[in-house]
Amino acid sequence: MKKSKATEALRVATDIAAIKAALHQRGYRLRKQPKQPVWKIIITLGPPLTRGETGGFYTLTYQPAPISAWVLHPQDNDIRRQTLETIIQSALKKQPANPIRTSS
């Protein structure tokens, strides 16, 4: 059975509200990209550990049907990405139909 666009939009809005709350609680900042289901997660660091070190960002994208999943880019093995994945997955735990896709 195909879901309506309104139903999917409501679920995405509910998901992102939970994700934003969880990330803000842990000190991350989010910035919505215009007219796209894309959010930039800005990682800020305390004092630089090495000269020129910056926080950087990850991009959280909602992939609509037939995928219907949240995707975090770039796909790397950085500990910061793993931390973000854990936070996002725990925020979505109440909605198990929305796992983050990982490259396997």
Side-chain angles (χ1 to χ4, degrees), residues 17-30:
I19 292 168
K20 284 171 63 175
L23 290 171
H24 281 293
Q25 185 178 22
R26 290 168 180 83
Y28 292 95
R29 295 183 316 166
L30 276 83

Side-chain angles (χ1 to χ4, degrees), residues 19 22-23 26 28 82-92:
I19 292 168
L23 290 171
R26 290 168 180 83
Y28 292 95
Q82 294 170 0
T83 302
L84 284 173
E85 269 189 355
T86 302
I87 294 168
I88 293 167
Q89 286 173 349
S90 67
L92 295 175

